Amino acid sequence: MKPRDDTPAPPYDPEGKSARILVVDDERANLILMDRLLRTEGYHNLVLIQDPREVMAAYRKAPTDLILLDIKMPHMSGFEVMEQFAALDDPLVPPILVLTAQHSRDYMLRALNGGARDFIGKPFDRAEVLARVRNMLDVQLAHRMTHGQKDMLEQLVHERTEEIRRTRLQVVQRLGRAAEYRDNETGCHILRMSHIAVLLARHLGWSRGTCERLLHASPMHDVGKIGIPDCILLKPGRLTAEEWETMKTHTTIGVDILSGDDSDLLHMAREIALTHHERWDGSGYPNGLAGEDIPMVGRICALADVFDALTSQRPYKPAWPVEDALDLIRDGAGSHFDPRLTELFFSLVPEILAIRDRFPEECSKNGDCPGRPDAQDD
C-alpha cells in the first residue's frame, strides 16, 4: 500500500533548497538550533517534530526528501522510527541522517544497519552537517528522477504493447471478415459460434482473459477457406471425393495464414483452425487426432460450430430444427464430440438458444450485429 497520499512532489530548485526535511528530536533546543542552521543555508521547507510518534503522520502528509533523526527519545526511539519506515517497503523512502549524542560503535552500526544512510555524533560540526545534508539531498533527487523515468518508461512500454495488441487483434478480425465474404456462411454464424464456444469455456473454468482470446480467435476457424477455389467452396451440390480432399485443406491453409506470430491470440487461432474438424474417435481431419490429443479449443469449437451450422440456413440446405440438431449432437458424443464436453453443452442449452436469439440471421443482412468482436471495446 502506498504510504503517502497522492500529493505531487514539489518542483525542485537547482540547489534543492525547497526540499522537505523532517527534523526529529525530543529536545526543543536542538530543534531550534537545527532549524536556524538549515534556514541560514537557505532550506525553508522544514518540519520540526518533538514527539517521534508524529513522524509517520508528517511523512504521509507530503513527499519528504530527508529525515534528521535523534536516537534516544521518550515514547519511541529513533531505531523504532526506522523500523516503521522499513516496514513501508516504499521505493522512495527518504534517506535518514542520524544525529545523536550516542557515540558508541554499537549505536552507529545498529543505526546504519537499521536504515540510516549516515551517522553524526553530537556535538557536531555545522559545516559537516550541511555538507552531508546537501550530499544526501542530491542523491535523493537523483533517485527520484530515476524512479520517475522508470515509471515513464514502463508506461511507454505498456502503451506500445497495447498498441501492438490492438493492431494484431484488428488484423485477426479483418481476416475473419474476409473469410465470411469468401464463404457462404453468414457473419452471425461466426458470432453465434464464438459466443457458444466462450460459454462452454467459461463453464469449464477458463479465466476471463483466456475466454476473451477464444472470443477473438474462434472466428478464425475457417479462415483457410480463403484459399479454396470458388468452384469448390461455393458449389451448391455435393462435392466429389477429389473436391472434398481439396476442401479439407482449409485447415492447414488456415494455419499457414495465421503463422509467423507467437502471440497467445494467434497461437490459439492456429490451434482452432487446425483441429476443429478432428473427431473424438480419431476419424476427423487433417491429422486424425483422437480423444485428449485434440486440443480443448478444437473440441470446443467443433461442438459450437457443428450445432450452429446445423441450425442455420445455407444455400444448399434448410436450417435443421433445434431438436434434430441436439439429437445429432447427442448421438455424436464419444464418436464425433468429447463426451464430457457434450454433457456440459446439454446443461447449457437454454443459454445457447439465448445466444441464437441474440444474433439472428437478420442482423447479418443489415450489418448491425451488436456482438461482432470487431465492434466491441477491446
Side-chain angles (χ1 to χ4, degrees), residues 3 20 22 49 52-62 84:
R20 187 170 189 261
L22 305 188
I49 302 174
R53 294 172 297 184
E54 299 174 1
V55 172
M56 295 309 299
Y59 169 69
R60 288 188 173 95
K61 189 173 182 181
Q84 288 185 325

Side-chain angles (χ1 to χ4, degrees), residues 49-310:
I49 302 174
Q50 193 168 354
D51 186 340
R53 294 172 297 184
E54 299 174 1
V55 172
M56 295 309 299
Y59 169 69
R60 288 188 173 95
K61 189 173 182 181
T64 301
D65 302 290
L66 177 63
I67 300 173
L68 305 183
L69 181 65
D70 189 19
I71 290 294
K72 194 172 182 180
M73 298 178 288
H75 308 303
M76 181 181 290
S77 71
F79 296 124
E80 292 173 302
V81 172
M82 284 189 283
E83 288 174 2
Q84 288 185 325
F85 278 105
L88 293 177
D89 194 26
D90 179 8
L92 290 178
V93 67
I96 296 174
L97 172 58
V98 168
L99 296 170
T100 179
Q102 312 302 319
H103 293 276
S104 74
R105 183 172 180 272
D106 289 342
Y107 267 92
M108 180 184 70
L109 291 177
R110 184 178 174 188
L112 294 175
N113 290 329
R117 296 281 185 84
D118 210 342
F119 184 99
I120 299 179
K122 298 177 184 177
F124 50 75
D125 180 274
R126 296 189 177 193
E128 180 185 2
V129 169
L130 291 174
R132 298 199 186 193
V133 166
R134 182 177 63 251
N135 290 341
M136 294 180 78
L137 286 174
D138 286 345
V139 171
Q140 181 67 358
L141 172 59
H143 179 57
R144 281 188 181 277
M145 291 178 65
T146 301
H147 190 271
Q149 289 173 346
K150 176 176 174 288
D151 286 347
M152 185 171 62
L153 288 173
E154 287 178 351
Q155 178 63 26
L156 186 61
V157 169
H158 173 75
E159 290 174 358
R160 292 293 182 266
T161 302
E162 181 64 16
E163 183 179 341
I164 291 170
R165 188 192 74 83
R166 287 177 180 272
T167 300
R168 180 185 288 123
L169 183 56
Q170 289 174 7
V171 169
V172 167
Q173 289 168 347
R174 279 151 182 74
L175 275 174
R177 297 295 301 277
E180 291 173 25
Y181 281 112
R182 282 283 288 118
D183 201 357
N184 52 23
E185 295 179 349
T186 68
C188 280
H189 163 68
I190 300 295
L191 284 173
R192 289 191 297 266
M193 174 265 182
S194 60
H195 280 79
I196 292 170
V198 169
L199 176 67
L200 292 169
R202 192 168 67 245
H203 281 81
L204 286 172
W206 289 19
S207 70
R208 180 177 178 180
T210 306
C211 286
E212 182 181 356
R213 281 197 297 277
L214 179 60
L215 178 67
H216 295 297
S218 53
M220 298 297 98
H221 66 289
D222 277 339
V223 69
K225 288 183 178 179
I226 291 174
I228 302 299
D230 285 352
C231 61
I232 296 176
L233 183 67
L234 304 180
K235 184 177 180 178
R238 182 181 293 275
L239 299 179
T240 66
E242 184 179 354
E243 289 171 336
W244 178 238
E245 289 303 313
T246 300
M247 175 64 82
K248 289 196 291 186
T249 64
H250 79 273
T251 53
T252 52
I253 293 173
V255 173
D256 236 13
I257 291 172
L258 297 168
S259 64
D261 187 296
D262 291 331
S263 69
D264 291 341
L265 175 63
L266 269 296
H267 176 77
M268 181 182 285
R270 286 194 297 272
E271 268 198 331
I272 293 170
L274 184 64
T275 64
H276 72 286
H277 283 297
E278 300 288 359
R279 292 173 176 248
W280 186 257
D281 62 6
S283 64
Y285 65 88
N287 295 317
L289 300 179
E292 300 287 341
D293 290 338
I294 306 170
M296 181 57 79
V297 288
R299 287 179 260 163
I300 289 173
C301 289
L303 191 50
D305 185 37
V306 168
F307 173 74
D308 193 74
L310 289 174

